[in-house]
């Protein structure tokens, strides 16, 4: 985009987890930020007064609308070459057979660079304007992911994974090396001085990290003001193993709490099997959760009670969790979030189901809150960065057909129907353009 653009037509965003706003009017973008918005009538008055003479004005068609960019709160970039494979195996077996052997290859920076270029472009094509990435154990290999993110102008958190407990694949490092490499990685990312990318300290999980490493990583995160990410209570066998190797802890979350990892800049993936005490602990500490319904069901880990987490004031965003998840689009996570919540309600958990508006919130503003970015992105408040998708529900060659019949009685209902159809039926063919901080970034 050039420095000044004005979009005229329908746009939709979440004001909070209970309220969806659908508006007809204009959004003005200058230097990547939303500087003004208003009604169609206000736009016409300002246009007549010459206020938009230096702007490129984009008039949306009746089948188009603007929505906030999708936010993927949990995704493993190195695992993309395995997407769709091994999903008939349980979590720990899947890690040993598929994940660790693949991730070891990212010591090769040429290999890493090629994969990560594909990953970032694929996510942008799918409408993911912000991603919270797990990298691999390798310092230089994960820096290639940083370069790809910067190259294609995505907003991202990137973490060099840390592991120091032995495994059969030989995929771990000494505690000293992990702490040294992690701090160097954080410093190198910060040296870019680019507001779109932040380092995130990333112990893989308590299965592969001991107390010394976890505590050391927490100290690094605190020193540099970084966020942290990991996994918690994803699988019952995983939980039992964590408690077996940490016999002084009564719960999985206590392992992390004793290492000073749980705080308001920490996001934990999964949280499928939390006890009530753990839910209370995460809520009090301000820890966010990345809900990953695809991997939780594909690997038969369980059904995450998202409604219960929300009711206990835990902030929740969505994650694709590739390649435990078999789809790299947040649209898939939105749909499976609704499905999982409905399954829990059908099993007897009253009022557990989430509707499409709530799932849309989790994919946008909820994700922004989970990553502590809601002051910058997540909806279209004036002053925020313009991270957005231009959607055409009836794009030629797309998956949604238009019929000479409608239940809509006015423009507002029509716009809601466009968004609802996109949520349930749409794919990347309906995403005409992707903007990150005002820049057009969809390249494939």
């Amino acid at each position: 985009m050039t420095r000044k653009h004005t979009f005229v037509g329908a746009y939709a965003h979440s004001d909070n987890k209970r309220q969806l706003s659908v508006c007809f009017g204009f959004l003005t973008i200058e230097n990547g930020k939303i500087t003004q918005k208003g009604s169609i009538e206000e736009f016409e008055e300002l246009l007549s007064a010459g206020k938009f003479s230096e702007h490129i004005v984009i008039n949306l068609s009746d089948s188009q609308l603007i929505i906030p960019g999708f936010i993927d709160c949990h995704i493993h970039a190195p695992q993309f070459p395995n997407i769709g494979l091994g999903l008939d195996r349980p979590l720990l077996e899947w890690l040993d057979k598929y994940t660790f052997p693949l991730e070891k290859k990212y010591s090769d920076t040429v290999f890493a660079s090629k994969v990560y270029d594909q990953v970032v472009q694929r996510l942008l094509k799918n409408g993911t304007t912000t991603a919270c990435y797990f990298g691999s154990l390798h310092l230089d290999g994960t820096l290639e992911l940083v370069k790809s993110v910067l190259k294609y102008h995505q907003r991202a958190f990137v973490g060099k994974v840390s592991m120091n407990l032995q495994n059969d694949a030989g995929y771990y490092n000494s505690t000293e090396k992990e702490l040294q490499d992690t701090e160097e990685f954080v410093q190198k990312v910060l040296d870019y001085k680019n507001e779109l990318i932040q380092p995130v300290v990333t112990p893989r999980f308590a299965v592969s990290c001991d107390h010394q490493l976890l505590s050391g990583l927490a100290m690094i995160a605190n020193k540099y003001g970084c966020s942290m990410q990991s996994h918690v209570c994803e699988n019952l066998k995983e939980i039992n193993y964590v408690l077996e190797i940490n016999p002084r802890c009564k719960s999985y979350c206590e392992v992390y709490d004793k290492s000073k990892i749980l705080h308001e800049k920490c996001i934990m993936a999964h949280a499928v099997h939390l006890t009530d005490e753990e839910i209370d602990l995460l809520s009090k500490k301000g820890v966010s959760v990345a809900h990953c319904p695809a991997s939780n069901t594909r690997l038969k880990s369980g059904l995450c009670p998202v409604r219960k987490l929300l009711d206990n004031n835990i902030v929740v965003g969505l994650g694709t969790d590739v390649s435990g998840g078999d789809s790299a689009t947040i649209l898939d996570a939105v749909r499976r979030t609704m499905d999982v919540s409905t399954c829990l309600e059908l099993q007897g958990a009253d009022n557990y189901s989430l509707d499409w508006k709530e799932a849309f919130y989790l994919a946008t503003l909820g994700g922004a809150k989970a990553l502590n970015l809601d002051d910058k992105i997540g909806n279209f408040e004036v002053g925020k960065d313009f991270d957005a998708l231009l959607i055409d529900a009836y794009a030629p060659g797309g998956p949604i057909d238009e019929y000479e019949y409608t239940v809509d009685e006015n423009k507002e209902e029509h716009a809601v129907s466009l968004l609802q159809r996109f949520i349930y039926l749409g794919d990347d063919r309906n995403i005409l353009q992707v903007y990150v901080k005002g820049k057009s970034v969809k390249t494939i």
Side-chain angles (χ1 to χ4, degrees), residues 175-312:
T175 304
E176 181 181 8
K177 179 172 175 55
E178 274 306 318
L179 295 176
Q180 179 180 332
D181 283 1
T182 295
E183 184 160 15
E184 184 176 349
F185 176 80
V186 168
Q187 291 170 342
K188 286 182 179 294
V189 175
L190 293 175
D191 283 346
Y192 279 104
K193 294 181 171 57
N194 187 312
E195 64 178 310
L196 291 182
I197 192 163
Q198 298 183 44
V200 53
V201 176
T202 307
R204 188 174 210 110
F205 58 167
V207 170
S208 55
C209 302
D210 65 15
H211 176 75
Q212 182 182 3
L213 177 58
L214 291 171
S215 298
L217 293 172
M219 292 175 64
I220 292 172
N222 183 62
K223 178 179 178 179
Y224 293 95
C226 295
S227 296
M228 298 192 72
Q229 63 176 346
S230 192
H231 304 80
V232 71
C233 295
E234 178 179 359
N235 174 282
L236 292 176
K237 288 186 178 180
E238 166 210 10
I239 296 170
N240 290 336
Y241 183 73
V242 168
L243 295 179
E244 180 183 323
I245 63 175
N246 293 276
R248 295 184 180 181
C249 294
K250 295 179 180 179
S251 71
Y252 200 144
C253 286
E254 186 180 351
V255 176
Y256 289 139
D257 195 35
K258 284 187 173 181
S259 302
K260 309 298 183 185
I261 280 176
L262 303 181
H263 48 72
E264 67 280 356
K265 296 187 74 174
C266 173
I267 184 165
M268 285 286 175
H270 305 301
V272 176
H273 301 288
L274 296 174
T275 64
D276 288 345
E277 290 77 15
E278 287 177 302
I279 290 175
D280 185 57
L281 176 62
L282 295 190
S283 180
K284 287 179 178 177
K285 294 287 186 177
V287 176
S288 300
V289 166
H291 175 45
C292 305
S295 64
N296 294 161
T297 52
R298 285 288 183 246
L299 299 175
K300 301 181 179 66
S301 296
L303 306 177
C304 179
V306 172
R307 177 70 72 193
K308 185 175 183 179
L309 300 182
L310 294 172
D311 288 346
N312 282 274

Side-chain angles (χ1 to χ4, degrees), residues 113-125:
S113 177
K114 290 179 179 178
V115 171
Y116 291 148
D117 274 359
Q118 290 178 279
V119 169
V120 174
Q121 289 181 88
R122 174 60 60 185
L123 292 186
L124 288 171
K125 180 179 180 180

